Amino acid sequence: MATVWDELDLLLDSPSSLTTTSNVRGTIKDSAGFNAGADAAAIRKAIEGIGTTEKTLIDILTQRSNAQRQLISKSYHEAKGKNLIDDLEGDTHGDFEDLLVALVKPPATYDCHEFLSAVKGAGTTESTLIEIFASRSNKQLKALSDAYLAETGKPLTDRIKSEVSGDFAKALLILAEGKRDESTQVDMGKAKTDAKTLYEAGEKKWGTDESKFIDILCHRSVPQLRQTLVEYKSISGKTLQQSIEGEMSGNLEDLLVAIVKCVKSVPAYMAERLFKSMKGAGTDEATLIRIMVSRSEIDMLDIRAEYKKLFGYSLHSSIQSETSGDVRTTLLKLCGGDDA
């Protein structure tokens, strides 16, 4: 299974979801001939009738882009004087409710709410924090911070500091502040120097200097880091991921490995997360829903391709066999097709 992460040479010219601004690789697009008022009225009817007509809700919400869903929400509110999200919460339940509500929230608000639920109560769900902060672009992280500030009146970084600590917190804070360099130019000399610095901070010394790893992995641009990964392999004989896994442990290891994976390929990282969410006894619906919703307009086509490549069968078939009912129907629409 290591193969996809080892094909370093193919990396240098491939596009990255961390820097992309287009949505051509999404499965959900703007619907042509869109009419927010008509959609809002149909949704109202579906919710107000005797027993909710789930099919109407699914058809409308999965066949409109998020921007269009915002207009439907606005129209719904104007016509009814109530929030669409409140009505969906009152009328549906369980995972299906979570899924529809996720579709109706703007992406940054949704990321913010996922962050909040990861830090809520006793214990923090670090895996969710890692997924969000490792895979989002500076722009998405800025939008998440703004949404958090708007909702709580406090900076996101304060909340991170109060929930996690040590090197893990240090790395998350750099990412949360959207400090990654965005230049597309690769400085070959710097890539060699960085690779050497990482080698000397880890493999080569007794005890690891985590701060060097955090500094380089959280600040450098994606193209620059890709070149650094290639240089690292030629100095060390190991991939950077293998070195991190051998030298570190706990949440910091998980975060740095996730960053390396996302630098290589966010879709392959997401495919792996989706696979794990459905593997074994019981499905991790929260992760499954979050990824399917948040990637549907960004890189779902690429995630499907990577899933098939990594696991030998389609994402569609996994969802088909691991979920059921309205949740399955909705997720399959977001998936958008079967790569059998």
Side-chain angles (χ1 to χ4, degrees):
M1 180 159 151
T3 52
V4 66
W5 304 120
D6 296 337
E7 299 163 354
L8 292 179
D9 315 339
L10 304 177
L11 267 186
L12 301 176
D13 305 314
S14 59
S16 165
S17 312
L18 270 172
T19 51
T20 182
T21 46
S22 88
N23 58 357
V24 293
R25 304 303 296 156
T27 46
I28 304 293
K29 307 260 197 282
D30 280 341
S31 165
F34 168 67
N35 179 329
D39 281 348
I43 286 176
R44 245 180 92 176
K45 209 170 136 200
I47 291 177
E48 285 171 356
I50 304 232
T52 301
T53 318
E54 284 84 0
K55 186 181 182 316
T56 305
L57 298 179
I58 296 170
D59 286 348
I60 294 176
L61 295 176
T62 60
Q63 286 166 41
R64 309 290 182 268
S65 66
N66 190 279
Q68 291 177 328
R69 293 179 212 130
Q70 300 317 312
L71 297 171
I72 295 171
S73 290
K74 190 167 174 278
S75 190
Y76 186 94
H77 189 260
E78 284 161 2
K80 201 180 172 194
K82 286 177 82 178
N83 269 332
L84 174 55
I85 286 181
D86 294 344
D87 283 359
L88 286 172
E89 286 176 340
D91 220 71
T92 54
H93 46 83
D95 296 324
F96 184 52
E97 174 195 320
D98 293 346
L99 187 42
L100 295 185
V101 167
L103 286 167
V104 176
K105 288 176 181 172
T109 308
Y110 181 49
D111 271 353
C112 172
H113 291 160
E114 288 297 291
F115 169 81
L116 284 166
S117 70
V119 296
K120 190 174 78 199
T124 303
T125 314
E126 284 86 357
S127 60
T128 303
L129 299 185
I130 289 169
E131 176 200 304
I132 291 174
F133 289 102
S135 68
R136 303 296 192 259
S137 65
N138 282 349
K139 194 174 160 211
Q140 289 170 313
L141 291 167
K142 172 89 175 71
L144 160 60
S145 289
D146 292 347
Y148 184 86
L149 185 64
E151 191 147 325
T152 64
K154 299 189 178 98
L156 177 68
T157 47
D158 287 4
R159 186 62 185 269
I160 293 172
K161 284 175 201 159
S162 72
E163 295 293 335
V164 294
S165 59
D167 288 325
F168 180 54
K170 214 183 291 177
L172 276 184
L173 287 166
I174 299 172
L175 296 171
E177 287 167 358
K179 293 276 179 70
R180 187 174 297 294
D181 175 26
E182 288 186 333
S183 120
T184 51
Q185 296 304 309
V186 174
D187 178 334
M188 299 297 284
K190 191 178 185 183
K192 284 189 164 63
T193 311
D194 278 352
K196 192 162 173 284
T197 301
L198 291 169
Y199 180 58
E200 287 173 353
E203 286 293 338
K204 212 171 158 207
K205 79 193 270 285
W206 185 255
T208 307
D209 182 353
E210 285 87 358
S211 65
K212 297 275 199 308
F213 282 82
I214 293 169
D215 179 39
I216 292 172
L217 288 173
C218 298
H219 282 112
R220 303 286 187 266
S221 71
V222 171
Q224 184 68 33
L225 281 170
R226 286 176 165 183
Q227 186 63 48
T228 305
L229 293 176
V230 172
E231 299 296 343
Y232 186 88
K233 178 88 190 278
S234 72
I235 295 176
S236 161
K238 286 183 178 178
T239 63
L240 184 60
Q241 184 183 331
Q242 287 167 332
S243 291
I244 293 169
E245 288 169 343
E247 297 286 320
M248 295 183 201
S249 60
N251 295 322
L252 181 66
E253 177 198 334
D254 294 344
L255 175 59
L256 296 181
V257 165
I259 292 171
V260 169
K261 286 183 172 182
C262 289
V263 162
K264 292 181 187 178
S265 166
V266 175
Y269 170 72
M270 291 298 177
E272 234 177 38
R273 294 271 302 155
L274 284 168
F275 177 75
K276 286 180 183 150
S277 77
M278 292 184 275
K279 199 178 88 184
T283 301
D284 169 5
E285 281 85 3
T287 298
L288 177 58
I289 290 170
R290 181 176 57 254
I291 295 176
M292 294 303 295
V293 170
S294 63
R295 308 314 291 186
S296 58
E297 287 180 51
I298 300 173
D299 50 10
M300 187 53 69
L301 293 171
D302 298 323
I303 291 172
R304 275 169 37 189
E306 292 295 347
Y307 196 95
K308 181 80 194 272
K309 208 156 73 178
L310 277 165
F311 307 111
Y313 45 88
S314 69
L315 175 57
H316 193 280
S317 65
S318 287
I319 293 170
Q320 185 81 44
S321 65
E322 297 301 327
T323 60
S324 60
D326 294 323
V327 171
R328 176 200 284 162
T329 308
T330 312
L331 290 174
L332 289 176
K333 297 241 187 196
L334 296 178
C335 182
D338 194 354
D339 311 287

